[in-house]
Amino acid sequence: MLIIDSVQNAKAGHPGMALGMAEVGYILYRHVMKYIPKNPSWFNRDRFVLSAGHGCLLQYICLHLAGFSSVQVEDLKNLCKLGSRTPGHPENVVTDGVEVTTGPLGQGVANAVGLALAEAHLAARFNKPDAVLVDHRTYCIMGDGCAMEGISNEAASLAAHWKLNKLVLIYDDNHNTIDGDTKITFTEDISARYGALGWNVITVDNVHSDMGGFKNAIRSAFNETERPTFIRVKTVIGKLSRKEGTSKAHHGTFEDDEVKEMKQKVKWEGRKPFHVVPSVYREMKIQTEYGEALEEAWYSTLNFYQTKYPQEAVEFKILLNGGLVPGWEHSLPSWSKSDPVDATRGYSEKCLNQIAKVLPGLVGGSADLASSNKAYLHDYQDFSQPNSPSGRNIRYGVREHSMAAISNGIALHGSGLIPFAATFLIFSDYMKNAIRLSALSHAGVIYIFTHDSIGLGEDGPTHQPVEQLAGLRAVPRLLVFRPADGNETAGAYMVAVENRDRPSVIALSRQKVAANLEGTSASEVKRGGYILSDNSFKGELPEIMLIGTGSELCICEESAKRLREEGKKVRVVSLVCWRIFDGQSEEYKDFVLPKNVRKRVSVEAGSPQGWREYVGEEGRVIGVEDFGASGAYLDTFKKFGFTVDNVTQVARSLLD
């Protein structure tokens, strides 16, 4: 009835799935999961993910009945209202007790795999026969839409391969999606699919009349030692309503006489909306008291652990406190102009492996490209069960989308793990939805994207990113770095690691950059943009400014040298991260890019989208308006105007 009251009051919402899965929600929160409403972030709690996020009322009401202060009756009354703690889909930064932000279908399934992987990895690293610190499970509810989305299959394949036996995926099999019965689009044997993937598959034929069957399925999951468990629960969408069993129950409100009928069915006549029988709160309190007892015992174990295993305890406490070690940034390498040149992906490899030695939570991997994007921790094993679950390299295979969403789960596990996910920049398109959710849910994932421009050469337009940087820069809160050399690469890592509540993209070159530029600075990257060089007299403004990122910054500097030889006053600016630069004070931004200097040229081997904001209407944007071309990178750069000759010519035309 709380589901119905909330929807009727809000005049909006999705009651169908919540009504159909009410029994499942009750059993999980009353008889299965360990959690503590007073301490929602307790480390060893079970994790719950609602991948079918439209059914958020199920979770909100379970949280309310369980005693979470984040969902009071007033919050249920404010469902979907601006500023409420009960938004239209669950958001982890809004509601305590919500682990991850879900909504786009299938994402939560992959998040749950990430949460389960984090638990398995940490258990292998820290548990001792006489002191178990890491022992919790991950439960996820998915629907037909989640089952159809490709990301869930990618993630489920990995979960079975990794033998994540503490992961339980509960499939709400109600045979309906928004457009109608699933027979119009989805007729495969979903149980056979998960069985083929390597899951422990159980079916509960009618949870409404057989809640004991669901409890038995959970017991089977508890006894499973190698496989994740897939519980297929057959339900009736919109149970009790006139729309039950049909797609019309998915969303929307009910007629007044229909509400009256539903109340009669459950003998609820005469009660005011949002009424809760007091004994229900007392019943749910039994489970919270169970959780509190477990928490007390866990802290006793932690105290014992610190005494008997002091070295491991120090590392564990570092992770519990966010994963950062004071002074960790001093481990980052630095480069001078005399050092051998490399691609920025090569500099990235050195940075990654250096910080891994001092950051115990750094874990991650590539989508089958570790040898190419150089994102691999050489001193550590691959995560694998049962052989090396403590390994810090994660092999994702060719599964970019689930890699990103699994990384979100790892980042949001709350254990100080710092995940990185790597592929080519062009394939960020496969990952875009999950990257967006990284930003929305404050997940500090570090995305390492190499082969960052048409400069990758021979693979041609299908692999040459053009519009990707512009698209990623448009994502709110996402930090996008395009470093020019080793020092800027180190600076990008410095900022990305420090930002544990927002994701970062580090876009790196395949080709070697021309040099470690004189004037680049790791510390200046934290400003987003800074002056690389300027031959103007003190107090004077330059005649022209050349603004660049990545490998093209060197082209700007070489062009500036030619112009300076002709007597021109030229400033070169590195705009390594637009979002950080935009957040600086007006004084600093005007110091770097003075408003009175209108002659400006931007140079970036990607889409010109967005550059007009920095060069103004009188400036020139040198970018890529097409899809690139197959050829040696220098030939490709020349074709699209990324040469010192062309940049110098464009600058001269402005000066003339």
Side-chain angles (χ1 to χ4, degrees):
M1 289 314 303
L2 285 175
I3 296 166
I4 296 162
D5 292 340
S6 299
V7 168
Q8 293 302 97
N9 184 69
K11 296 181 174 58
H14 296 79
M17 177 267 186
L19 288 169
M21 290 288 280
E23 289 88 351
V24 169
Y26 162 71
I27 291 170
L28 288 176
Y29 277 87
R30 168 58 188 92
H31 293 286
V32 176
M33 293 197 304
K34 53 184 183 183
Y35 57 85
I36 307 167
K38 293 178 182 177
N39 184 13
S41 59
W42 173 46
F43 170 79
N44 210 36
R45 69 193 182 278
D46 287 335
R47 271 63 169 180
F48 173 76
V49 177
L50 187 65
S51 187
H54 54 274
C56 59
L57 264 174
L58 176 69
Q59 187 171 16
Y60 294 154
I61 288 167
C62 286
L63 290 172
H64 169 68
L65 297 177
F68 283 78
S69 61
S70 56
V71 186
Q72 303 290 333
V73 169
E74 283 304 309
D75 296 299
L76 296 177
K77 291 179 179 179
N78 288 325
L79 176 70
C80 297
K81 292 183 179 177
L82 189 64
S84 76
R85 294 187 290 189
T86 48
H89 286 81
E91 296 182 42
N92 64 302
V93 296
V94 172
T95 314
D96 286 343
V98 172
E99 301 286 354
V100 296
T101 295
T102 58
L105 296 177
Q107 293 287 331
V109 174
N111 294 162
V113 173
L115 292 167
L117 183 149
E119 192 277 342
H121 171 74
L122 293 168
R125 284 175 66 173
F126 295 106
N127 285 350
K128 305 293 182 181
D130 58 347
V132 176
L133 292 177
V134 187
D135 181 20
H136 51 266
R137 296 178 180 272
T138 302
Y139 300 89
C140 176
I141 290 177
M142 63 178 278
D144 287 300
C146 297
M148 293 184 206
E149 290 286 359
I151 185 175
S152 62
N153 201 61
E154 290 181 19
S157 173
L158 282 167
H161 174 72
W162 289 330
K163 302 184 185 303
L164 300 177
N165 65 296
K166 289 185 179 177
L167 172 62
V168 179
L169 188 55
I170 303 163
Y171 170 40
D172 174 23
D173 183 13
N174 64 38
H175 282 283
N176 277 277
T177 57
I178 293 174
D179 277 355
D181 193 291
T182 51
K183 66 185 178 184
I184 65 175
T185 56
F186 192 57
T187 53
E188 68 190 58
D189 187 338
I190 188 73
S191 296
R193 191 221 294 184
Y194 273 79
L197 289 172
W199 286 62
N200 170 33
V201 177
I202 305 167
T203 299
V204 179
D205 285 320
N206 188 341
V207 74
H208 306 301
S209 61
D210 182 22
M211 286 194 283
F214 181 67
K215 287 183 181 179
N216 290 335
I218 293 292
R219 290 191 189 100
S220 173
F222 271 52
N223 293 328
E224 178 60 54
T225 58
E226 288 194 355
R227 298 173 296 173
T229 295
F230 179 81
I231 303 177
R232 181 178 186 174
V233 180
K234 295 185 179 181
T235 66
V236 177
I237 189 172
K239 182 70 174 171
L240 298 179
S241 72
R242 293 174 187 169
K243 303 170 186 174
E244 71 173 33
T246 72
S247 61
K248 293 179 181 178
H250 174 77
H251 63 278
T253 58
F254 304 100
E255 298 294 333
D256 290 342
D257 60 339
E258 187 178 7
V259 173
K260 185 177 180 181
E261 284 180 12
M262 287 189 279
K263 286 185 175 183
Q264 289 172 347
K265 288 179 182 179
V266 294
K267 298 180 173 56
W268 205 251
E269 304 99 315
R271 290 188 169 101
K272 293 181 179 179
F274 298 97
H275 175 74
V276 178
V277 178
S279 61
V280 173
Y281 290 125
R282 292 196 294 271
E283 174 73 16
M284 297 299 288
K285 197 171 189 300
I286 296 171
Q287 194 70 6
T288 65
E289 289 171 346
Y290 167 67
E292 289 166 359
L294 291 175
E295 181 194 32
E296 186 176 346
W298 184 83
Y299 277 109
S300 295
T301 302
L302 179 60
N303 290 333
F304 168 77
Y305 191 95
Q306 291 176 113
T307 301
K308 189 170 182 181
Y309 307 102
Q311 187 173 343
E312 293 94 329
V314 168
E315 190 170 288
F316 187 69
K317 292 293 284 289
I318 288 170
L319 293 178
L320 287 187
N321 290 320
L324 298 185
V325 179
W328 71 269
E329 67 276 8
H330 300 309
S331 67
L332 284 163
S334 61
W335 288 269
S336 67
K337 190 172 175 62
S338 61
D339 287 325
V341 298
D342 201 350
T344 50
R345 65 173 174 170
Y347 296 127
S348 168
E349 179 182 34
K350 293 178 176 66
C351 290
L352 201 60
N353 278 275
Q354 285 298 106
I355 62 176
K357 297 174 183 177
V358 297
L359 294 175
L362 188 69
V363 298
S366 299
D368 199 50
L369 289 170
S371 60
S372 186
N373 56 34
K374 311 294 184 184
Y376 190 82
L377 307 180
H378 296 296
D379 294 334
Y380 303 92
Q381 294 179 301
D382 294 348
F383 172 82
S384 173
Q385 295 199 91
N387 300 326
S388 54
S390 61
R392 290 166 62 179
N393 290 294
I394 304 173
R395 300 283 193 175
Y396 286 103
V398 189
R399 300 182 183 92
E400 296 90 353
H401 195 181
S402 66
M403 172 178 68
I406 288 169
S407 297
N408 284 340
I410 295 171
L412 296 173
H413 183 258
S415 55
L417 293 179
I418 303 171
F420 64 88
T423 185
F424 294 170
L425 179 57
I426 190 71
F427 300 139
S428 65
D429 285 346
Y430 285 132
M431 308 161 65
K432 186 67 177 297
N433 206 343
I435 294 172
R436 183 178 187 271
L437 284 169
S438 300
L440 182 59
S441 58
H442 297 199
V445 180
I446 300 173
Y447 293 100
I448 302 169
F449 293 150
T450 64
H451 297 56
D452 70 342
S453 74
I454 60 170
L456 69 88
E458 290 82 357
D459 275 336
T462 62
H463 281 54
Q464 291 174 1
V466 174
E467 74 278 13
Q468 282 68 29
L469 282 171
L472 290 167
R473 284 168 175 156
V475 178
R477 302 192 79 253
L478 180 64
L479 302 179
V480 179
F481 300 89
R482 190 162 182 256
D485 63 1
N487 291 322
E488 285 199 346
T489 302
Y493 273 103
M494 193 183 303
V495 180
V497 171
E498 286 288 348
N499 278 274
R500 291 297 77 232
D501 67 343
R502 65 194 304 181
S504 299
V505 164
I506 304 178
L508 303 159
S509 70
R510 173 183 184 261
Q511 77 277 16
K512 291 182 178 180
V513 291
N516 282 303
L517 292 167
E518 188 174 345
T520 55
S521 166
S523 62
E524 287 297 294
V525 172
K526 69 178 181 293
R527 295 177 179 269
Y530 63 97
I531 300 169
L532 182 70
S533 65
D534 192 336
N535 67 326
S536 305
F537 294 117
K538 188 175 181 180
E540 246 186 5
L541 291 176
E543 297 172 73
I544 192 169
M545 295 188 293
L546 307 181
I547 313 166
T549 72
S551 56
E552 295 82 78
L553 188 63
C554 180
I555 297 174
C556 293
E557 184 65 15
E558 291 301 313
S559 176
K561 288 178 181 177
R562 289 192 188 179
L563 294 168
R564 288 164 186 161
E565 288 170 359
E566 299 169 9
K568 306 301 183 184
K569 305 298 181 186
V570 185
R571 174 176 294 183
V572 177
V573 171
S574 171
L575 207 59
V576 59
C577 180
W578 293 11
R579 176 156 280 114
I580 294 179
F581 182 74
D582 291 346
Q584 300 300 309
S585 66
E586 291 300 320
E587 291 77 11
Y588 179 75
K589 288 187 286 187
D590 193 52
F591 166 72
V592 175
L593 297 175
K595 295 183 181 68
N596 292 334
V597 181
R598 294 189 174 88
K599 294 177 180 179
R600 307 179 180 192
V601 180
S602 69
V603 187
E604 184 175 70
S607 169
Q609 189 77 29
W611 274 107
R612 189 58 61 185
E613 180 178 345
Y614 301 102
V615 302
E617 292 303 317
E618 299 175 38
R620 301 286 177 83
V621 177
I622 300 177
V624 182
E625 298 277 9
D626 207 335
F627 285 108
S630 179
Y633 98 84
L634 287 176
D635 293 338
T636 307
F637 261 32
K638 184 176 181 180
K639 172 181 170 62
F640 288 94
F642 297 100
T643 63
V644 175
D645 287 343
N646 185 58
V647 172
T648 304
Q649 182 180 339
V650 171
R652 285 192 190 119
S653 69
L654 272 181
L655 289 165
D656 291 343

